Amino acid sequence: MGVFVRSLNEKGIQGFRDYLREIRDGAMPQPPAELLSNSVYSSGMDGDIEVDDIIFKDKHEMSRYFNGRFYMLSHSEIDKNVGLWSWLALYYFDQLCPPNNAGKRSPGQDYRYILETGFRYYHRHLLLGPYNIYLIHGDRAPLLLSGPINKTSSYYVELSSRQG
């Protein structure tokens, strides 16, 4: 059984940013699960959409999975929904930023997890970027959507960053 998808509010997003900063500063805390379910940091979404705590084989499988979960929503409802995609990134954070053998994580830039809606970084969100590629190309995009969900190839960045 899954959990109902929620959306991080401003406090939740700030809490996520603080967590990412702690990791970069060398701390090794677990992801802040309270941001996912506490109404101080997040709120429920219309439609009672559930996601499961599953391990994705690659970006293609992940994108197909999200497509199956969000098919009832219009793309405009979720496309630039910062709270939704940030919540999902935190929910799947162990896959998006797995700890190494010593327990340390290397998160990279915030925009990989917290959606930036401007064109410069929008496509670099580790979940929404591949999901959008899947919406456009479906199962015809294996090259762009191959590989683990926490990695972004230079090929993907070059092609996904093109406008129009």
Side-chain angles (χ1 to χ4, degrees):
M1 182 175 207
V3 298
F4 288 112
V5 173
R6 296 174 63 84
S7 178
L8 292 179
N9 61 27
E10 287 183 33
K11 278 185 139 178
I13 290 171
Q14 187 57 51
F16 196 4
R17 283 190 198 284
D18 293 344
Y19 171 67
L20 293 169
R21 187 173 37 257
E22 285 179 45
I23 295 172
R24 283 188 206 97
D25 289 343
M28 297 190 322
Q30 290 299 310
E34 69 276 4
L35 301 181
L36 295 171
S37 58
N38 188 319
S39 62
V40 171
Y41 304 107
S42 62
S43 59
M45 293 193 53
D46 293 337
D48 292 335
I49 297 166
E50 289 185 58
V51 290
D52 300 303
D53 185 16
I54 59 174
I55 305 294
F56 298 111
K57 176 181 75 167
D58 56 22
K59 289 184 282 285
H60 184 262
E61 180 183 82
M62 178 268 304
S63 300
R64 182 186 298 160
Y65 177 80
F66 287 146
N67 187 55
R69 297 299 178 185
F70 300 141
Y71 73 93
M72 295 180 300
L73 302 173
S74 70
H75 189 61
S76 63
E77 287 179 82
I78 60 174
D79 182 44
K80 302 229 172 160
N81 190 327
V82 173
L84 165 66
W85 292 104
S86 302
W87 185 93
L88 286 167
L90 181 55
Y91 185 76
Y92 291 106
F93 194 74
D94 282 333
Q95 290 181 70
L96 296 176
C97 188
N100 64 19
N101 291 339
K104 294 191 70 93
R105 298 176 193 262
S106 299
Q109 299 298 319
D110 285 5
Y111 57 72
R112 293 168 51 96
Y113 315 98
I114 299 170
L115 179 62
E116 298 278 337
T117 57
F119 180 76
R120 186 170 183 195
Y121 298 117
Y122 168 78
H123 63 282
R124 291 188 177 216
H125 189 274
L126 290 172
L127 300 178
L128 178 61
Y131 173 74
N132 279 333
I133 295 290
Y134 183 83
L135 288 181
I136 294 167
H137 300 288
D139 290 326
R140 296 180 311 265
L143 181 60
L144 284 174
L145 300 177
S146 64
I149 69 172
N150 65 318
K151 303 286 185 196
T152 304
S153 70
S154 58
Y155 184 70
Y156 169 84
V157 171
E158 285 297 318
L159 290 176
S160 67
S161 64
R162 305 277 186 221
Q163 287 186 351

